[in-house]
Every structure is written in C-alpha cells, then in structure tokens.
Amino acid sequence: MLNLYLDVFKCLNRRKVKYVVIGGVAAVVHGVPRTTFDLDLLIEATPVNATRLLLAFGDAGLTTATLTTAERLLAHEITIFRDWLQVDIQIRTPGLRFSTAWKNRRKVLASGISIPFASRNDLIRSKRAAGRPIDLEDIRLLNLKMDRSQHPPSRKPRGNEQSATE
C-alpha cells in the first residue's frame, strides 16, 4: 500500500514538510486489515510549511496543488487534493494536536524513505474523537491486535518440548 505514495513521501521529505500520516493508511500500518482510497496527512499549520507542502505536491505531480495557495489551505480544516491519487490535508483533526502527533510520531522506513506516522495511541484518540463507524471499527481492530500481541495464544508442547507447568 505504501508503494503507491512513495513519490509523495519522498517529495514531502525533500521539501522538509512537517507532516504525520493519519487515517486509514496509518491504521493499516498499525495492523488493521482494511483498504483505504486516500492518504490523510496532518500538517503543521504554518505558512512556511503549507508553502513547502504545495511545492512538494507539485514535485510529485499532484497538479491540483497549483489551484490553491498556502493561505487558502490554512483557512480550511481539511483540503482534498484529487489527482492520480487523493490526498486529504488536515490542519486540525478531532482529538489530536499536530504538536502532540509530531512528538509521538513513529517513523516507518519504506524503500529507503522515512515516513512519519501517528503513534497507535494518538491514532486511536483521533479516531475515537471522529466517531465514525469505520473509525470505531479501526479502534476495535487496533485494540484486538494489541491484546493479541500482549497475550499471544498458547500452544501445547510438541514432541520433546516441555510446558512451563510440568
């Protein structure tokens, strides 16, 4: 899934855009088995960062970036760019401040590109605040995955293995 967005991430990083991946793509990276049709980014809401983002989108071939300005981008909570892929830029998102998401971000390396993702806990907090059915299902699956990683299923000893209770 990340392969679809690698050029965008590379251009964002090259332009030094401060962003964190949230939404469905972040949920998938944290282990939720689902599909998503867009990339959601929470950005630092400053004129310099918004300008860098628009330049990076142009570099990545997202031509709709030329149809807006940094000022217009910062005037809306969410701006949707529909090009060869859809990218939703958020300057605010329910339940999560950019400064917190940036501090807690988890970097994932994909094809040599470092990609900042919202931490699992920040993602859950944001999805809980959004409260949509898909977000609540993502939370359920994120918690299920966490429960399984903390309590792996037990198995019976095989062959010459001995259980800890014997």
Side-chain angles (χ1 to χ4, degrees):
M1 166 181 282
L2 290 180
N3 290 337
L4 178 63
Y5 308 111
L6 287 178
D7 196 43
V8 173
F9 294 133
K10 186 183 340 175
C11 292
L12 289 168
N13 292 352
R14 190 179 314 125
R15 291 283 186 172
K16 300 183 181 348
V17 177
K18 290 180 88 172
Y19 70 97
V20 176
V21 179
I22 59 174
V25 172
V28 170
V29 165
H30 284 291
V32 174
R34 77 166 176 99
T35 58
T36 184
F37 301 103
D38 64 352
L39 174 64
D40 298 296
L41 303 178
L42 177 62
I43 67 163
E44 180 183 53
T46 65
V48 168
N49 199 53
T51 299
R52 289 176 179 171
L53 176 117
L54 294 174
L55 291 169
F57 277 10
D59 296 345
L62 298 170
T63 57
T64 56
T66 63
L67 302 175
T68 193
T69 64
E71 294 77 24
R72 281 196 277 181
L73 185 105
L74 294 173
H76 301 283
E77 187 172 305
I78 185 168
T79 302
I80 299 171
F81 294 88
R82 288 187 180 98
D83 277 277
W84 52 274
L85 60 84
Q86 181 174 316
V87 183
D88 298 350
I89 299 300
Q90 297 180 43
I91 61 167
R92 286 183 298 282
T93 198
L96 185 60
R97 293 177 182 263
F98 177 81
S99 59
T100 302
W102 184 253
K103 184 179 90 178
N104 298 336
R105 71 192 181 277
R106 298 293 178 254
K107 293 182 180 177
V108 172
L109 197 61
S111 297
I113 300 167
S114 180
I115 307 165
F117 284 87
S119 71
R120 181 186 169 282
N121 289 338
D122 286 348
L123 184 63
I124 288 172
R125 189 171 23 270
S126 175
K127 286 185 165 293
R128 185 172 290 122
R132 301 175 305 171
I134 188 70
D135 295 314
L136 299 177
E137 178 63 8
D138 285 348
I139 292 169
R140 185 186 75 76
L141 293 169
L142 285 163
N143 286 331
L144 183 65
K145 181 175 175 15
M146 181 65 139
D147 289 344
R148 285 186 180 158
S149 69
Q150 289 180 348
H151 306 288
S154 59
R155 65 174 183 83
K156 293 186 177 186
R158 290 182 283 174
N160 63 353
E161 293 178 340
Q162 183 177 354
S163 77
T165 58
E166 291 179 355

